[in-house]
Amino acid sequence: MEDDMTSRPASKASFYLGFLLLLNVFNFAHRQMPISLGFQIETGLGISHAQLGLLIGYAFIVVYSVAGMLLGTVADRWNRPRLIALGLTLWAAATVVSGLSQSFFQIALLRLLVGTGAAVLTPTALGMLADVYRPERRAFAAGVYYGGIPLGAGLSLIVVALLEPVVGWRACFYVAGAAGLLMVPFILLLKDPPRGGHEATAGTPPVQPPGAARSTTEVLGEIVRVARRSPALIATLIGSVFVLWPISALTLGVTWLQVERGLTMTQAGLYSGVIFLVAGFLGNLAGGWLSDLCHRRWSGGRLWFLALAQLVIGPPALAWYVLPTDSVLFYVVWFIGSFAATGYFGPIFATVQDLAPARVRSTMVGVLLLVVNLFATGLAPWVAGAIGDATTLTRGLVICSLVGFLSVPFFVFAARRYAAGIARRDG
């Protein structure tokens, strides 16, 4: 009987994780479209590397980040599956219409709408996963959820590489958006799990606030108070910005492979897709599992893991930009770099969730996305593209990769103060 009672929550958690992972695959497949089709969009619309960097970065990220934080406060109060369904409807429809764009301005405007809709998913989904997984398993759950990055991006690259030469780049947007719209009815069947169930003590009900219990202003005010009493949380946010610069700049990688390394559209897309899908997904799983292992053994173990991973993987990953494409080592390093890069997400999000009270967890994830997206995901591609227009994309990508090493002292600082942050979390 006890085993049956234990297995049912585990099965429920696994179902939520699998379903939300699928949604995140669609999320990143749609986000990936300008990355997968970067060279073709540059040629078709007559835009520069810097403009493509803006299209991939700030045209999407600014509204995505701000909306993510604000919608995180909504997710802390409203029915979360319905909120996700609304967001998916918006971002998938905007993806379809993106195929009709005739200028940089038009496609950038539609990217704003994609960003608004997509902003719903991650704060809401991670809040739901934190409610069905115990604290010691949250990095694993977040790592699996963020497997949607390599799965969605990899599948997008592969499908686009095979489809674009046949139907053109515009039809690729139509197909991707239509597939997303088909998922909406299934989301509406999903139940919203009780909030804060694993933080509840015996005899204390889970946190399940009514929709109008707190205003957005009150929730944001609490976020400020949480940040003020947690130096570990602030240092984690800053370290996350720096460690994600190399990955963010590499969104220009498919274009770089075609423009400066001589690969065809099909080669660049297929190689990138297969490597990122396999290595990236394995990296998400490994990063979540290893960081959870470190978390169980040491205070701030996930943060120590992040610092060590950057120091170990960062130097050899830089070699990829200068190795010849006909060398086996080029592809070996490419695989290792993709494996390592995605391993950061699980421990980062799990740490932020641990340091935030359950009642504002989705909002704090939104804050993390705001900070990371404004200062890494949005900024790094534009910087790399601008340097690429002035000199070479290779130089721009290498410079952005070096920024990643600035994360190490912040993760070390946060690890040393992690225990104090947990102790003061609900104060």
Side-chain angles (χ1 to χ4, degrees):
M1 181 68 177
E2 183 178 349
D3 290 341
D4 182 61
M5 292 179 66
T6 303
S7 64
R8 277 182 290 176
S11 298
K12 175 183 175 182
S14 297
F15 171 78
Y16 275 98
L17 180 57
F19 190 82
L20 293 171
L21 168 62
L22 179 61
L23 293 180
N24 208 26
V25 169
F26 277 94
N27 175 23
F28 277 91
H30 290 159
R31 289 179 60 170
Q32 179 77 13
M33 295 301 290
I35 300 171
S36 302
L37 294 163
F39 182 67
Q40 286 65 39
I41 293 173
E42 283 185 349
T43 304
L45 299 182
I47 64 177
S48 67
H49 292 326
Q51 285 178 308
L52 179 62
L54 287 173
L55 190 63
I56 292 170
Y58 278 133
F60 175 89
I61 288 302
V62 171
V63 67
Y64 175 84
S65 304
V66 175
M69 184 178 67
L70 295 177
L71 290 170
T73 70
V74 176
D76 282 324
R77 295 175 289 140
W78 289 9
N79 181 280
R80 291 175 288 190
R82 293 177 186 175
L83 193 60
I84 292 174
L86 180 63
L88 176 53
T89 300
L90 177 58
W91 96 59
T95 299
V96 171
V97 181
S98 295
L100 302 173
S101 300
Q102 299 297 320
S103 68
F104 171 77
F105 174 78
Q106 290 176 0
I107 197 169
L109 181 61
L110 287 163
R111 287 288 285 174
L112 294 177
L113 295 179
V114 173
T116 302
V120 172
L121 181 60
T122 291
T124 308
L126 289 178
M128 293 170 71
L129 290 176
D131 291 332
V132 296
Y133 276 93
R134 295 187 180 279
E136 62 270 16
R137 294 282 290 166
R138 284 176 186 156
F140 170 78
V144 173
Y145 170 80
Y146 261 91
I149 296 179
L151 289 176
L155 289 172
S156 173
L157 287 162
I158 293 170
V159 172
V160 164
L162 297 174
L163 193 61
E164 192 277 337
V166 178
V167 300
W169 67 269
R170 295 182 183 276
C172 293
F173 280 96
Y174 306 150
V175 173
L181 289 172
L182 293 175
M183 287 295 298
V184 173
F186 297 99
I187 302 172
L188 294 173
L189 299 176
L190 195 66
K191 292 184 178 180
D192 196 359
R195 291 169 168 85
H198 285 298
E199 276 75 21
T201 57
T204 303
V207 179
Q208 189 74 15
R214 293 182 298 164
S215 68
T216 296
T217 301
E218 290 171 331
V219 174
L220 293 178
E222 182 167 2
I223 288 294
V224 173
R225 292 191 293 273
V226 169
R228 283 178 176 173
R229 63 175 178 259
S230 181
L233 179 58
I234 297 298
T236 300
L237 294 176
I238 297 172
S240 300
V241 169
F242 288 132
V243 83
L244 294 178
W245 257 67
I247 307 167
S248 302
L250 199 53
T251 51
L252 294 174
V254 177
T255 301
W256 170 73
L257 287 169
Q258 295 175 75
V259 173
E260 296 187 10
R261 304 313 298 266
L263 273 64
T264 65
M265 162 66 184
T266 301
Q267 289 174 326
L270 282 178
Y271 296 167
S272 298
V274 171
I275 289 174
F276 195 54
L277 191 155
V278 177
F281 187 70
L282 291 175
N284 268 286
L285 295 180
W289 180 77
L290 287 172
S291 64
D292 276 341
L293 181 63
C294 293
H295 178 72
R296 289 192 291 269
R297 295 194 175 190
W298 305 291
S299 175
R302 293 185 183 120
L303 293 157
W304 289 116
F305 168 82
L306 288 167
L308 181 61
Q310 176 60 34
L311 289 174
V312 172
I313 301 298
L318 284 169
W320 184 57
Y321 294 110
V322 296
L323 289 169
T325 56
D326 58 358
S327 166
V328 174
L329 192 58
F330 177 83
Y331 297 94
V332 172
V333 173
W334 189 355
F335 188 94
I336 293 172
S338 297
F339 177 87
T342 55
Y344 295 128
F345 294 104
I348 286 173
F349 279 94
T351 299
V352 170
Q353 287 179 311
D354 285 347
L355 291 169
R359 59 188 175 274
V360 292
R361 188 169 283 143
S362 291
T363 307
M364 187 57 76
V365 171
V367 172
L368 171 62
L369 290 172
L370 173 68
V371 172
V372 165
N373 288 331
L374 287 182
F375 299 108
T377 311
L379 185 58
W382 177 78
V383 170
I387 295 173
D389 287 331
T391 57
T392 65
L393 271 177
T394 300
R395 179 173 294 180
L397 292 171
V398 168
I399 290 172
C400 290
S401 294
L402 291 171
V403 174
F405 292 98
L406 297 176
S407 66
V408 174
F410 289 97
F411 286 141
V412 171
F413 176 90
R416 292 180 177 276
R417 287 156 179 80
Y418 177 83
I422 293 296
R424 302 176 64 184
R425 178 181 60 192
D426 298 305

